[in-house]
Amino acid sequence: MNKEIRVRIAPSPTGFFHIGSARTALYNYLFARHHNGKFILRIEDTDLTRSSRGMTRVILDSLNWLGLDWDEGPEKGGEYGPYFQSERKEIYNDYARKLIEQNKAYWCYCTQEEIEKERAEFFNKKMNWQHRCREKFSAEEINKRKNAGIVPALRFAVPLEKLISFTDIIHGIVEKNTTDIEDFVIIKSDGMPTYNFACVIDDFLMKINYVIRGVEHIANTPKQILLYDAFNMPTPAFAHLPVILGKDKKKLSKRLGARSVLEYRDEGYLSDALVNFLALLGWSPGGDEEIMSRDRMVELFSLERINPANAVYDEAKLEWLNNHYIINRIDQERFLENLKPFLFSTGYVTEEGYKNKKEWFDRVCLLMRPRLKVLKDIAKAKYFFTDDFEYETESLKKYLNDKSVSLVREFKNKLEEIKDFAAKNIEEDLRDFCSHKQIKAKELIHPLRVYITGTEVGPGLFETMELIGKEKCIKRISTIIEKYEYRNE
């Protein structure tokens, strides 16, 4: 590739920046970096009623958190700005006038009611509907409609009986006959351009030569090619990314991952883990390589290795990846620093309290580290920080029986005798106790864990007990036993 590669991500600030948009941004970013090209951010905010600066901020914050640094666009500038479509209205009007002058566009004075009625009539006759109203109204009728306050929309005059064909890098040859394309609107009645028109003008002026976007836009591509042809502009290469489905093979729902990127951040996913996960949602580097640094992704990325089949979002795989990154891909200092906000958000730990017992808190966090699927999971360690936690009903029920209570009560007496309440000493005493009783250690470990922590799962029991402390461990055991005995009197 001799020409500089220029790609763009062009989100609309009308909703949250979700996982699909993030993957599109990532693939554009990787493709640009692989070819030492430019990655441009453009904000498509022509929907004035739904667009907001607040949502624009979400887009910028999401890309920054993901580490997808754009070369040109908002907060960066560039020679092809402005990068907000709402600020480019005059540019679109200039190009619209060129089409009008060449009789390639015309003003449509049809009302929305008339268009809907026409659409319904075609639908009832089971006919394809393509609205065309060139020369439909006389000059007298148009004046009449103007005087009635009808504001027209500008429509592109689609050439008749023309085959549009392009080769999509992912999906191969795509064809569409213009007999199946209506005279589509390019300037709405509110004076703002439509997506297809603004997109073509901006991509041309910003010298975008590869358009990498979601497959839902593949139906727009023939219309855009018609506009490129009408202006005698070079057509960029197209690559339409497959849809991301939930594990139920349906459109991704909020419950199954269609969340704002910043929600992933706030739940405690690491951006490197999410980027790694997104990269594999449709693209394969070849071989069985799954865990990759950004540099490695850039090195291996190609559009040709994107699978045209729909990708399936697997939350369990994302959690596994995130856990791997938490354990193996960040050092201890960065882990503790990243975890602190989540520690404070539990409500059990204050910044002042953390400073006063930093070493102890750090030991708790490091003990929990292998068990954190997301950083927010530190809240599950509340039994370290407070005695006010709920016991898992089924777990407690399983071990509230005469045998378990008797064993734990007897072992509690051994715990009271331990002078150095360290994990090594606790374990040694427990195993000696179980050996003497000729029982398996798990027969005591499981109920002991539930009595002390309220749950059957957690980090090593002996390290946990050391950090909770002798006094609290014995108190919790005693409380459970007393309640059991009271109920069984």
Side-chain angles (χ1 to χ4, degrees), residues 348 378-390 476:
Y348 302 120
I378 193 63
K380 295 177 181 178
K382 55 190 172 185
Y383 48 81
F384 283 108
F385 314 126
T386 179
D387 292 322
D388 184 20
F389 59 87
E390 291 184 9
R476 291 177 186 180

Side-chain angles (χ1 to χ4, degrees), residues 370-468:
R371 308 193 66 84
L372 301 179
K373 291 179 180 178
V374 293
L375 297 178
K376 200 173 182 179
D377 283 347
I378 193 63
K380 295 177 181 178
K382 55 190 172 185
Y383 48 81
F384 283 108
F385 314 126
T386 179
D387 292 322
D388 184 20
F389 59 87
E390 291 184 9
Y391 282 72
E392 294 173 357
T393 304
E394 289 303 313
S395 299
L396 193 56
K397 184 178 178 182
K398 188 188 298 186
Y399 297 108
L400 269 183
N401 53 65
D402 288 346
K403 180 183 176 182
S404 294
V405 169
S406 178
L407 275 175
V408 175
R409 183 197 298 113
E410 193 174 344
F411 183 65
K412 178 174 76 79
N413 297 329
K414 294 287 185 183
L415 291 177
E416 289 171 340
E417 295 172 6
I418 299 176
K419 290 186 172 57
D420 181 9
F421 203 70
K424 181 183 176 187
N425 298 332
I426 300 167
E427 180 175 10
E428 189 176 291
D429 274 24
L430 182 142
R431 297 198 184 280
D432 284 347
F433 177 85
C434 292
S435 177
H436 179 73
K437 286 281 188 182
Q438 295 185 325
I439 61 172
K440 293 180 179 178
K442 67 180 182 180
E443 293 182 54
L444 177 56
I445 287 174
H446 291 328
L448 192 60
R449 180 190 293 280
V450 173
Y451 291 11
I452 293 171
T453 69
T455 178
E456 287 186 80
V457 296
L461 174 62
F462 310 115
E463 292 84 355
T464 297
M465 291 176 68
E466 177 185 336
L467 286 167
I468 291 174

